[in-house]
Amino acid sequence: MASATWSQTFTMAKKRTAYRVWLSEVMLQQTQVQTVIPYYLRFLTKFPNVTALANASLDDVLHAWAGLGYYSRARNLHKTAILIRDKFHGKFPTSLESMIALPGIGRSTASAILAFCDQQTLPILDGNVKRVLSRLHAISTVPQKNEKELWLLAQHYTPEKTDIIDYTQAIMDLGAMICTRHSPKCTECPVAQECLAYTRNETALYPVKAVKKSLPIKKIFLMVLINKKMKFS
DNA sequence: AAGTCGTGGCA
DNA sequence: TTGCCAAGACT
């Protein structure tokens, strides 16, 4: 198979520990699965648990991260590992608030860790879930304005009693494999009949693109000047 | 609350 | 080729 799902790669490692889920979620922030996989496997070999990561030097961590981009993620990863070692007796906290308080862990990442590792019924809202929900409900507001609505919808669909792990993985995989950004495979989608974007034949319209602020005329003028200067220097 | 952070895939 | 943007979080 040319491209494995993340869940397939992940389950190659034996168990979803908080450390492994945390590491994977951070690496996957704004970074595609195929890029992350080799880094993730190498990282786990080099730093098998949170204590090993905390005991490593920042330089070693940054070196293992080199090429992944967004290096503040690596710095925060190391910071958090040290916090877990020194302030949390080597164990991750199990409340959403204390999880979010850790460097580099926002609401979605925190919820993902707690859902996967502690079966807590918490909604996640990453790029995949946002795309799925945007199409399912044909959300026409711009991304800058629809954050609250998307979180409410994410919460609405999150199962209260059972299957939180399966659900969380499923909706992410749906976004990654079927409800893709370009040419989604709607014929394979289990919720196509309930999807407003699909039934209206408008999947390409969602999620609505961000509106870019137009550049001030003054700034454009400056850029033109700089551009001319570069050509003659 | 808008800007920033990195790299690679894709049209 | 260029621009857009991806399993976000921080300031």
Side-chain angles (χ1 to χ4, degrees):
Chain A
M1 208 163 136
S3 70
T5 65
W6 179 248
S7 45
Q8 285 167 341
T9 302
F10 199 98
T11 49
M12 286 165 57
K14 294 125 243 175
K15 195 180 169 210
R16 284 188 202 262
T17 63
Y19 172 67
R20 292 174 191 157
V21 173
W22 167 57
L23 178 62
S24 71
E25 292 299 328
V26 171
M27 282 190 167
L28 286 164
Q29 287 167 7
Q30 301 292 284
T31 311
Q32 298 188 339
V33 169
Q34 298 306 319
T35 305
V36 165
I37 289 174
Y39 282 89
Y40 181 70
L41 298 176
R42 259 183 274 133
F43 222 88
L44 273 187
T45 304
K46 198 160 187 173
F47 314 109
N49 52 59
V50 67
T51 307
L53 183 59
N55 291 340
S57 69
L58 175 59
D59 202 59
D60 275 350
V61 176
L62 286 172
H63 211 258
W65 197 273
L68 255 189
Y70 285 128
Y71 294 95
S72 65
R73 291 185 297 174
R75 300 176 189 280
N76 284 332
L77 207 66
H78 192 233
K79 268 189 204 169
T80 290
I82 290 174
L83 279 174
I84 298 295
R85 182 193 64 190
D86 296 345
K87 307 290 182 188
F88 292 87
H89 308 289
K91 314 249 321 179
F92 281 81
T94 54
S95 82
L96 185 62
E97 295 72 24
S98 43
M99 192 71 87
I100 290 177
L102 294 169
I105 300 182
R107 181 174 174 187
S108 193
T109 298
S111 296
I113 298 171
L114 293 176
F116 281 127
C117 300
D118 202 31
Q119 313 239 3
Q120 294 188 34
T121 61
L122 296 166
I124 58 162
L125 189 62
D126 57 23
N128 283 322
V129 179
K130 283 181 181 176
R131 189 169 54 254
V132 170
L133 294 176
S134 296
R135 285 179 175 151
L136 193 60
H137 287 260
I139 295 175
S140 54
T141 52
V142 296
Q144 292 95 327
K145 295 290 177 187
N146 62 23
E147 198 76 3
K148 185 178 278 183
E149 181 180 6
L150 286 172
W151 272 111
L152 285 175
L153 284 175
Q155 188 167 35
H156 170 76
Y157 286 110
T158 303
E160 296 269 341
K161 301 287 182 186
T162 59
D163 298 330
I164 181 65
I165 293 178
D166 288 343
Y167 169 79
T168 303
Q169 190 61 62
I171 192 167
M172 290 169 103
D173 281 348
L174 181 65
M177 308 291 290
I178 294 176
C179 196
T180 50
R181 185 154 61 98
H182 300 296
S183 45
K185 303 178 173 67
C186 298
T187 56
E188 302 174 29
C189 179
V191 293
Q193 298 312 314
E194 289 81 55
C195 178
L196 283 184
Y198 175 71
T199 55
R200 293 174 184 175
N201 199 22
E202 291 179 343
T203 56
L205 297 185
Y206 306 97
V208 172
K209 288 180 184 174
V211 286
K212 325 174 250 215
K213 207 168 69 170
S214 58
L215 293 172
I217 188 70
K218 211 170 181 179
K219 190 164 185 178
I220 296 176
F221 187 65
L222 261 178
M223 291 170 72
V224 171
L225 282 181
I226 292 170
N227 195 27
K228 280 188 179 175
K229 220 174 192 178
M230 307 255 306
K231 281 181 184 169
F232 290 104
S233 61

